[in-house]
Amino acid sequence: DAGVIQSPRHEVTEMGQEVTLRCKPISGHDYLFWYRQTMMRGLELLIYFNNNVPIDDSGMPEDRFSAKMPNASFSTLKIQPSEPRDSAVYFCASSPGQGYDTQYFGPGTRLTVL
Amino acid sequence: SQQGEEDPQALSIQEGENATMNCSYKTSINNLQWYRQNSGRGLVHLILIRSNEREKHSGRLRVTLDTSKKSSSLLITASRAADTASYFCATAFEDSNYQLIWGAGTKLIIKP
């Protein structure tokens, strides 16, 4: 299996622009997680899905952030409009069974908002 | 506040020495997991230890869990330069609604 795939790997954009991050989980995994990692705040869970349904989005920082999972093999995290403080590495992870079992991480998207 | 907190924040040792990192948590857990993150990469799962287990091994890695002290340790024996990375513990505590709560990590540097 190719593992969790994320695109793009790097994104540089200007404040106010829309940013869309993409994730393809490992086939057969029922859980998908979106995380954000910064030096100041560490690794933060933004939202997670179970069988394509959003279960907990309490970590989404603001209404500017939205996430979707239209099918079992694709998810997006959108930031509109983007702000410099959104600069971070965004990770997608998937898990095969219970949400608190082993998580498999993608390589991350490094987002820079100027 | 964070459920899992690693100690030390940073550790620098000579190649070949053993490295020990600790993780403390606050509430009862279902399991505790250790992950490694190389610079610029995603996190990689190392070991999962369940609340009814006390010790697990995987190659040069040894994890212990002391639920009475609410702490875990990760021991890397005979360290190598390739072990240079950040190490995170993540706890899945009861009633966590399937969330892993992550510590801030220990940055390990292995000097050749």
Side-chain angles (χ1 to χ4, degrees):
Chain A
D1 200 320
V4 175
I5 299 172
Q6 290 187 247
S7 65
R9 292 294 309 277
H10 301 274
E11 177 80 29
V12 180
T13 190
E14 293 190 348
M15 183 174 63
Q17 297 297 306
E18 177 179 295
V19 175
T20 300
L21 311 181
R22 297 173 176 79
C23 174
K24 176 179 168 56
I26 294 172
S27 177
H29 284 195
D30 293 332
Y31 286 83
L32 183 139
F33 305 84
W34 281 102
Y35 289 93
R36 177 172 70 177
Q37 186 178 40
T38 61
M39 289 293 292
M40 290 297 294
R41 300 176 67 89
L43 195 65
E44 302 173 278
L45 176 66
L46 301 177
I47 185 172
Y48 76 92
F49 296 82
N50 177 211
N51 291 322
N52 313 337
V53 176
I55 301 301
D56 186 349
D57 66 355
S58 60
M60 297 284 262
E62 302 170 31
D63 291 344
R64 298 184 297 106
F65 286 69
S66 62
K68 295 182 180 179
M69 192 165 186
N71 56 62
S73 59
F74 184 66
S75 177
T76 60
L77 178 67
K78 185 175 294 187
I79 308 172
Q80 165 65 13
S82 58
E83 297 182 3
R85 59 193 166 124
D86 302 331
S87 297
V89 181
Y90 291 80
F91 289 104
C92 175
S94 66
S95 180
Q98 299 291 334
Y100 46 74
D101 279 337
T102 301
Q103 294 186 12
Y104 297 81
F105 281 74
T109 295
R110 181 173 294 277
L111 173 65
T112 303
V113 183
L114 303 174
Chain B
S1 62
Q2 291 176 337
Q3 166 76 332
E5 297 187 4
E6 290 94 339
D7 168 56
Q9 290 186 325
L11 180 62
S12 181
I13 61 173
Q14 292 293 138
E15 193 169 20
E17 294 180 340
N18 295 342
T20 300
M21 287 158 273
N22 303 295
C23 173
S24 60
Y25 57 92
K26 296 183 173 66
T27 60
S28 297
I29 59 171
N30 174 285
N31 68 66
L32 185 145
Q33 305 178 33
W34 286 92
Y35 289 76
R36 183 188 73 233
Q37 183 179 32
N38 291 91
S39 180
R41 303 289 188 91
L43 283 78
V44 175
H45 179 260
L46 296 176
I47 290 182
L48 181 154
I49 186 164
R50 301 195 186 279
S51 60
N52 61 352
E53 298 176 311
R54 292 298 167 258
E55 188 171 312
K56 288 190 85 168
H57 296 257
S58 177
R60 294 181 297 109
L61 307 181
R62 172 176 169 252
V63 168
T64 60
L65 179 65
D66 187 334
T67 53
S68 67
K69 295 181 179 179
K70 293 186 171 55
S71 67
S72 173
S73 66
L74 169 66
L75 169 67
I76 304 174
T77 60
S79 62
R80 305 169 182 170
D83 295 328
T84 294
S86 291
Y87 292 82
F88 294 86
C89 74
T91 49
F93 61 97
E94 294 172 0
D95 301 327
S96 70
N97 197 25
Y98 299 118
Q99 291 187 39
L100 286 182
I101 307 300
W102 298 83
T106 292
K107 188 174 179 66
L108 175 64
I109 296 173
I110 308 299
K111 295 179 288 187

